Amino acid sequence: MNFNFTEEQEMIRQAARDYAERELIKDVLERDEKAEYPTQHIKNLSELGFLGMLVDPKYDGGGMDTVSYVLAMEEICKIDSSVGVIISVNNSLVCYGIENYGTEEQKEKYLKPLARGEKIGAFLLSEPEAGSDATHQRTTAEDKGDHYLLNGTKNWITNANSGSIYIVVAQTHPEKKHKGINVFIVEKDSPGISLGQHEDKMGMRSSDTHSVMFTDVKVPKENRIGEDGFGFKFAMKTLEGGRIGIASQALGIASGAFERSVNYAKERKAFGTELANHQAIAFKISDMAVKIEAARNFCLKAAWLKDQGKPFGVASAMAKQYAADIAMEVTTDAVQIHGGYGYVKEYHVERLMREAKLTQIYEGTSEIQKIVISRSILKG
Amino acid sequence: MKILICISNVPDTTTKIKFTGDSTEFDVAGVQWIINPWDELALTRALELKEKTNGKIEKISVVSVGLKTAEPTLRKALAIGADEAFRIDCEAKDSNSVAAQIAEVAKDYDIIMCGIEASDYNGSAVGGMLSEFLNIPSVSSVSNLDIENNDILISREIDGGAEILTTKIPFVAIVQKGIAIEPRIPSMRGIMMARKKPLNVVSPIEVENLTEFVSFELPPSKAACKMIDAENVKELVDLLHNEAKVI
Ligand SMILES: Cc1cc2nc3c(=O)[nH]c(=O)nc-3n(C[C@H](O)[C@H](O)[C@H](O)COP(=O)(O)OP(=O)(O)OC[C@H]3O[C@@H](n4cnc5c(N)ncnc54)[C@H](O)[C@@H]3O)c2cc1C
């Protein structure tokens, strides 16, 4: 057992923190207000290597471990979860999926520019009528010999507009149910793809979310990932890793709200003394700290298991469910500690509370995580 | 040309300062260490010069006098872009001994850069002493350093204006505000490359400490703010006169 971080892990945490505190903080409120995509930040963070930090250097990635990734995500999301989710989808869904299950040609052609951050990836699984229940894919991929023909609609797609490389899940053999599902790498500028309106979201407003429509989109056969019928397994495996990203995002949201609350409680006075001297507030601070510490340990444990090559699916589901749920609780308390000031935008905590809510919904709702966890316990 | 940057490993600027051992020693428990901000800007400028002069600068090295705990700081300098690091393996006691130790590794460098002061003890002495040990010129308060053709161009801030001068190499540049805008954040690639760059541990030479800390004192804590009723001018005048003793 060893709880020390390596010099390198500390350095990555510090680099992420420096970027967030120096740069992201400057326009995070404005981008939230205007729902504006962080184009320049994503370019800068690509140059620093964050967009492909988990990818093997052989494919132009940063070659960092998942523990470093948790540390970086926490620091970035303390300030700006929209930037966090863009990094998370690119790293832990799109790059991870291609690196682990793609062919050499696919890695050469798609993984490299994604790892360099020159191109951004999106992961298209959810549909208007298939969210939690991803087995009921209505999007079809008809086998036409040398290519597949895609038709259907995907919903809630992060990076749909900013991204240019899509990982698309679709049904090829409906009679085989989820075993007939395939997954493809699709270039966004292929004919037949159109985007819906930018979703007007409650939080993480600076990330772009759209629905995506496919009408007779031709996808070359060599763009299928894995064997025929591998798509559902691919999606589940990839989401296992993705959850570590979202869990760390929730952790960052909680710890960002916590840091602000501690500072505020030490400064703001009521009834002749600092808020921190009222036990009701001090105990809230204590409860928040305990929850955050537990969530951090969950995230790091899941990351460590993944880095050791051990099974991490249940650990990442636990990390995601717990971190997301406490992020909601901690940010709600943070607003409470700030009183009226907490309810206005300038103090950031209301935004963090809006952001926290999403972590309980995407990449598997908290309820779905409980299904994953309880099944793993009860199945044997 | 070769550049050497002297790096002091200092507590993060937001550290809460406490003392131990009868107020003779700084309490390092829980302290986050960083590259002294001026030294980090010196390194930033050296990297800018290396990029812009296209091959004229063959090497940028960094040196720190300190124990193993200083290594993360040196590794960060390597990740930001320095080519090689030296750690002189002893505690940094006083300016004279630090300068004497650095002089040993600084001999074949053309430009030696130091921050105007370290943010821990604010000694402001190492740069000048180092140039004396090496018997080379030093320029203080350098706010810009440039290389044009083969000439060194330096701006110094002086009262109410700037002074532009040139110097022969080798020399010591003691840098301050303006030398670079903002320190760089290490990239993943930089962090990865830093694994393979040399971090040489050098044995210290024998050198006497000329000064010693007797004790430290924290500034008095700020008194609480007193509110006086707007009607009560007499009380205000009285307090300013007899308590604050400012009028
Ligand atoms: C901003 C945003 C970005 C997103 N980005 C992406 C993306 O990039 N790619 C992508 O593919 N998807 C993305 N999603 C979709 C997201 O993953 C889904 O919204 C999520 O999986 C839930 O699906 P749903 O919305 O259809 O809700 P539903 O599945 O309809 O669920 C509604 C409620 O019912 C509960 N529920 C459902 N089934 C059960 C059950 N069996 N037992 C108990 N409770 C259950 C759910 O937990 C939830 O509370 C994004 C969503 C949002 C809002």
Side-chain angles (χ1 to χ4, degrees), chain A residues 168-189:
Chain A
V168 184
V169 178
Q171 181 57 272
T172 302
H173 313 283
E175 71 290 355
K176 293 190 191 163
K177 305 214 170 112
H178 69 278
K179 290 191 173 141
I181 292 174
N182 272 316
V183 60
F184 307 92
I185 305 173
V186 181
E187 296 178 26
K188 186 179 86 182
D189 54 13

Side-chain angles (χ1 to χ4, degrees), chain B residues 191-232:
Chain B
I191 292 171
M192 221 167 20
M193 277 160 54
R195 287 177 198 163
K196 298 196 191 106
K197 291 179 180 173
L199 196 166
N200 311 299
V201 179
V202 181
S203 301
I205 54 162
E206 276 297 316
V207 48
E208 200 191 347
N209 293 317
L210 301 182
T211 56
E212 189 181 332
F213 291 118
V214 179
S215 79
F216 294 106
E217 277 174 29
L218 286 169
S221 49
K222 265 195 228 154
C225 180
K226 243 181 213 171
M227 303 297 277
I228 295 151
D229 200 287
E231 305 287 295
N232 214 341

Side-chain angles (χ1 to χ4, degrees), chain A residues 142-164:
Chain A
E142 240 183 295
D143 190 342
K144 293 282 187 190
D146 67 334
H147 67 270
Y148 284 92
L149 208 56
L150 281 186
N151 277 292
T153 300
K154 293 289 175 183
N155 232 9
W156 315 115
I157 304 306
T158 306
N159 296 347
N161 188 38
S162 56
S164 54

